[in-house]
Amino acid sequence: VFSEEMEVAVQRRHAIDTALRAALGTNELKLVYQPLVGAKNRKTAAVEALMRWTSLELGPVPPSEFIPVAEKTGMIIELGRFAMRRAFTDLKEMSGIDLTFNVSPVQIKHPHFINDVREILAETGADPRRIEIEITETVLMEESDRLRHILLDLKDIGFRIALDDFGTGYSSLGYLQSFAF
């Protein structure tokens, strides 16, 4: 049964999609860096890059709203490139601090993902040994051979790989042994 709430939700997703397409060219999207502090020495060891969006039209839009829309429409590929380029550039200014960077399941499965990563690394001059790429365990549910090659390529480039939110979904300790974490 179609309800008014469903119509409001559809209109909101459409508004987010439309505004998000314009946001890349208007500097509405920003990266913020959440510090990851060592428990023993209480010093910042790394920062996690997180995307935030304040739309001129819609106001602040939380990632829980715009990321699913971006994944569904394919915009996540452009958003991921934007975020990677910005984070890798900013990393050069962060002496002694590493970077963790989340990659969307849609992004990592994109056929040009590894080429995009290599291109952005070359463009920014970032050191991949200072970057940890985080993927969610949901990405492991499909295309395991292809994903295994992608993760090995990332490790060969010099990145560290982490499994984000392990235990919140369809966890398997086998993932930890089968993939390059």
Side-chain angles (χ1 to χ4, degrees):
V1 175
F2 188 76
S3 68
E4 187 175 326
E5 292 83 23
M6 293 170 81
E7 176 66 22
V8 169
V10 166
Q11 288 177 355
R12 175 70 176 175
R13 281 192 303 273
H14 178 70
I16 289 171
D17 179 36
T18 302
L20 190 56
R21 290 181 189 283
L24 279 169
T26 59
N27 292 324
E28 295 176 19
L29 293 162
K30 305 283 185 218
L31 286 189
V32 297
Y33 297 98
Q34 178 176 307
L36 302 172
V37 178
K40 289 185 180 180
N41 65 10
R42 302 205 186 276
K43 293 185 180 186
T44 301
V47 292
E48 181 174 9
L50 303 168
M51 188 175 290
R52 297 295 180 256
W53 179 30
T54 301
S55 168
L56 295 173
E57 181 182 334
L58 304 172
V61 183
S64 60
E65 272 193 279
F66 75 84
I67 296 294
V69 171
E71 286 180 329
K72 188 170 185 172
T73 63
M75 276 290 297
I76 196 70
I77 304 304
E78 254 336 283
L79 290 180
R81 289 179 187 137
F82 163 82
M84 206 179 316
R85 189 170 283 112
R86 176 82 267 142
F88 291 6
T89 299
D90 290 350
L91 178 63
K92 293 189 307 188
E93 305 296 321
M94 300 179 204
S95 179
I97 298 175
D98 289 349
L99 171 74
T100 66
F101 186 83
N102 294 295
V103 175
S104 157
V106 173
Q107 185 182 7
I108 201 167
K109 291 176 185 177
H110 190 271
H112 300 292
F113 175 69
I114 290 293
N115 290 336
D116 288 345
V117 170
R118 285 189 173 115
E119 180 181 306
I120 292 169
L121 271 178
E123 175 187 315
T124 62
D127 181 355
R129 296 171 299 178
R130 293 181 55 206
I131 302 169
E132 181 173 87
I133 293 182
E134 295 184 355
I135 62 169
T136 59
E137 64 183 285
T138 55
V139 79
L140 303 176
M141 302 300 288
E142 306 168 13
E143 305 177 51
S144 61
D145 285 338
R146 184 172 178 276
L147 181 63
R148 192 176 342 281
H149 290 296
I150 291 169
L151 294 178
L152 289 172
D153 284 349
L154 290 170
K155 284 190 75 139
D156 287 344
I157 292 168
F159 293 101
R160 294 185 314 273
I161 310 295
L163 188 57
D164 197 20
D165 297 332
F166 184 75
T168 60
Y170 302 100
S171 302
S172 169
L173 292 175
Y175 292 153
L176 301 179
Q177 293 173 333
S178 298
F179 292 93
F181 299 110

